[in-house]
Amino acid sequence: MYDLIVIGGGINGAGIARDAAGRGLKTLLVEAEDLAGATSSASTKLIHGGLRYLEYYEFRLVREALRERTTLLGIAPHLIRPMTFVLPHESHLRPAWMIRLGLFMYDRLGGKGPLPLSRGIGLKNNAFGQPLNDTYKKGFTYSDCWVDDARLVVLNAIDAKERGAHIMTRTLCHSLMAGPEGWAVGLRDSHGKDFSVTARMAVNATGPWVRQLLDRCGLAHDKTPRVRLVKGSHIVTMKLFDGDQAYILQQPDRRIVFAIPYERNFTLIGTTDEEFTGDPRHAAISENETAYLCDAVNRSFRARIRPADVVWSYSGVRPLLDDGEGSASAVTRDYRLDLEHINRLPLLSVFGGKITTYRHLAEETVNRLHEGGAWTATAPLPGGDMPDGNFTAFLKDHARRYPWMPEQLLYRYARAYGTRMDRIVRRRTHIGELGKHFGGQLYEAEVNYLIRNEFARTAEDILWRRSKLGLHLNPETVMTLEQAMPDLL
């Protein structure tokens, strides 16, 4: 008998499992596929307040998100890093006074934090203006943070496991029934074998499938919230500009598109907002979305791109709380926790939400199910326990510790694993001691670590969710890894 079963291994489910396990609850997390296998690996990779939400008067949501931005930067300084955003001004879309007011509020809603305040800049003689078309004369800069979204999910799951939770990936929940002894949960493993567990409490954190699970198990009713499925797509091209800054581009339809430095050699561009029907796992970018994102770049940058220049794309389906708004862009990014008691057994379903506020959502969820002190705001995520949260000092120290390691590999390990990179490198003194070299930056020592400690089971898990090495490796290297996986598991 478990105290709590969490169904869904996205960012909300993993965060809830971590929080619950840390409060001493016997917790089980089940995920039908891989951790972060759907929406939670398909975001724009930002920890941000959501500047554009101010236009929809979502002040509470923005305030909460900005405060969480500071919190998450503190507990995961390796995985989350500050980033400067450049907003070129287009007066016919939004007047300068409106942008200044919005940025003034954005700077202050979250309270005093470690990031630089916004400011106005001239673009003509500024390095930030060099990649942009000559039509832009002035703009604004402000601060937010970047994150590897899928790794954020995995780190929460690792911490949950280390605090006593049981994590089952590739385990489908096919039934949920309130029985005399607790929730009877029917599960199916990757081999098609059915089994069941019981739990005193259940959380439905299945994202786009949240309402579908309730409907299938006969647990929905007239007052059960509904979700609105909205697809967001991104494209990746070769690097369009130099520098660590990102750009936020206003569009004629009043949406915004981000252009973000990505994986050293690339630029990430997104996102779109399209209504979606069908299986969220099969979401894919449309020709119209690709054209829209290319046009957004071509309107603003000197560099021109075509659909043929896209080296990778991905799409995710956001399970937004259906608030009746007509436009997909205007649908709230807030969340609702729907708690019901069926035969006196608590069932809490998570509707909506965004990656930035996952920790707060998880804390609120567990608070509603269990008495006990909240703790996750100050406890570092795995790898984040570096002195004073100073990533730069940590990186310099490890460059001295491992002088034989190539600079780019060292940086990637430090960013992805933080202090836990030592568990991969151990006492090795030569790069050849990292084991078989699959190609690029991928060595056997890292693959073994991901299998043993981070729930990785396939080459795709390793190349596209535990890392983004899939962007850098050739097909032969990928095939070599796929062929090696059965012997490594």
Side-chain angles (χ1 to χ4, degrees):
M1 166 77 79
Y2 289 95
D3 294 320
L4 174 66
I5 181 168
V6 181
I7 306 165
I11 187 61
N12 289 331
I16 292 166
R18 177 192 185 227
D19 191 307
R23 300 198 205 190
L25 294 176
K26 186 178 180 182
T27 302
L28 169 64
L29 171 68
V30 295
E31 161 56 40
E33 299 292 339
D34 184 30
L35 297 170
T39 306
S40 293
S41 59
S43 76
T44 313
K45 324 298 182 193
L46 299 180
I47 298 295
H48 66 141
L51 179 62
R52 72 183 182 89
Y53 304 150
L54 293 176
E55 287 191 308
Y56 300 105
Y57 308 108
E58 298 259 22
F59 301 121
R60 187 199 60 78
L61 175 63
V62 173
R63 180 186 296 109
E64 178 184 310
L66 288 171
R67 289 176 177 172
E68 283 300 296
R69 184 186 68 182
T70 300
T71 298
L72 296 179
L73 184 59
I75 65 175
H78 58 314
L79 196 65
I80 299 171
R81 65 178 185 266
M83 182 173 280
T84 297
F85 288 77
V86 180
L87 171 59
H89 181 231
E90 297 197 47
S91 58
H92 65 286
L93 295 177
R94 292 174 179 86
W97 68 263
M98 179 184 292
I99 295 176
R100 287 195 195 96
L101 177 60
L103 290 172
F104 178 84
M105 295 176 64
Y106 200 69
D107 286 337
R108 287 156 181 80
L109 274 174
K112 188 176 181 180
L115 302 184
L117 299 177
S118 61
R119 63 189 180 94
I121 59 171
L123 293 173
K124 186 175 181 181
N125 298 311
N126 190 301
F128 290 159
Q130 294 306 305
L132 298 169
N133 290 331
D134 290 336
T135 53
Y136 295 111
K137 305 304 180 187
K138 62 181 179 180
F140 304 86
T141 65
Y142 69 96
S143 300
D144 264 323
C145 292
W146 183 94
V147 68
D148 184 325
D149 50 5
R151 288 205 58 75
L152 185 62
V153 177
V154 171
L155 293 189
N156 277 272
I158 292 170
D159 205 28
K161 179 182 178 181
E162 293 180 353
R163 295 177 187 274
H166 191 189
I167 311 295
M168 291 184 183
T169 61
R170 292 173 169 82
T171 303
L172 173 71
C173 173
H174 61 77
S175 66
L176 185 63
M177 182 180 299
E181 311 235 341
W183 286 105
V185 188
L187 303 173
R188 182 172 298 131
D189 68 17
S190 58
H191 303 291
K193 180 181 178 181
D194 287 348
F195 63 103
S196 62
V197 298
T198 56
R200 294 190 302 105
M201 302 176 287
V203 168
N204 173 12
T206 52
W209 296 271
V210 60
R211 178 60 193 250
Q212 187 181 114
L213 177 65
L214 296 174
D215 288 336
R216 185 172 72 242
C217 297
L219 298 171
H221 51 76
D222 290 344
K223 294 185 179 179
T224 301
R226 295 187 177 275
V227 291
R228 187 166 172 180
L229 301 184
V230 176
K231 181 178 65 168
S233 295
H234 298 76
I235 60 175
V236 175
T237 68
M238 298 306 294
K239 186 166 67 171
L240 298 178
F241 53 86
D242 293 325
D244 296 328
Q245 76 281 2
Y247 292 84
I248 176 172
L249 310 174
Q250 302 177 81
Q251 300 307 303
D253 60 3
R254 297 188 66 80
R255 294 199 66 256
I256 56 96
V257 168
F258 290 100
I260 303 171
Y262 193 60
E263 288 290 307
R264 295 192 323 273
N265 302 324
F266 303 93
T267 299
L268 173 65
I269 302 156
T271 181
T272 58
D273 280 311
E274 281 194 355
E275 301 288 348
F276 182 83
T277 58
D279 186 347
R281 292 198 187 278
H282 298 152
I285 194 168
S286 67
E287 290 184 4
N288 286 341
E289 287 176 296
T290 300
Y292 178 89
L293 294 175
C294 288
D295 288 345
V297 167
N298 294 338
R299 286 186 67 254
S300 299
F301 286 98
R302 297 177 190 271
R304 310 284 293 180
I305 61 171
R306 302 168 300 162
D309 296 316
V310 175
V311 299
W312 183 50
S313 66
Y314 63 89
S315 300
V317 177
R318 309 181 194 100
L320 304 182
L321 181 64
D322 193 348
D323 59 2
E325 285 289 342
S327 165
S329 300
V331 180
T332 182
R333 268 51 175 179
D334 209 345
Y335 60 82
R336 176 173 168 183
L337 305 180
D338 188 61
L339 177 61
E340 300 218 13
H341 289 79
I342 301 173
N343 294 347
R344 298 184 178 180
L345 298 176
L347 170 63
L348 190 148
S349 296
V350 179
F351 290 84
K354 51 182 293 200
I355 195 166
T356 303
T357 53
Y358 89 88
R359 190 211 62 83
H360 186 272
L361 180 154
E363 183 175 273
E364 186 179 347
T365 295
V366 182
N367 282 345
R368 295 184 67 176
L369 295 172
H370 175 74
E371 293 182 359
W375 62 278
T376 58
T378 56
L381 284 165
D385 53 336
M386 48 192 61
D388 300 320
N390 189 329
F391 177 79
T392 300
F394 171 82
L395 185 64
K396 288 180 179 178
D397 174 70
H398 279 63
R400 291 190 294 268
R401 188 178 303 184
Y402 306 122
W404 51 267
M405 187 177 291
E407 182 180 351
Q408 290 184 355
L409 181 63
L410 175 75
Y411 183 82
R412 186 174 70 79
Y413 278 7
R415 276 294 180 197
Y417 306 108
T419 58
R420 297 202 172 193
M421 69 175 285
D422 296 329
R423 303 188 184 191
I424 299 173
V425 183
R426 297 184 183 274
R427 293 185 175 86
R428 294 175 171 93
T429 59
H430 187 273
I431 196 162
E433 296 178 357
L434 291 175
K436 180 176 180 177
H437 183 210
F438 290 97
Q441 293 184 2
L442 186 60
Y443 292 85
E444 186 177 1
E446 182 179 14
V447 173
N448 285 333
Y449 176 84
L450 294 174
I451 291 171
R452 293 169 184 167
N453 299 280
E454 295 199 359
F455 316 100
R457 292 295 176 267
T458 70
E460 182 181 345
D461 296 350
I462 290 170
L463 298 179
W464 292 106
R465 284 181 287 277
R466 304 310 182 276
S467 74
K468 291 297 179 287
L469 289 172
L471 270 173
H472 303 277
L473 301 180
N474 59 44
E476 290 76 18
T477 298
V478 174
M479 184 177 297
T480 301
L481 177 62
E482 289 174 343
Q483 293 171 345
M485 286 298 292
D487 294 330
L488 295 172
L489 291 172

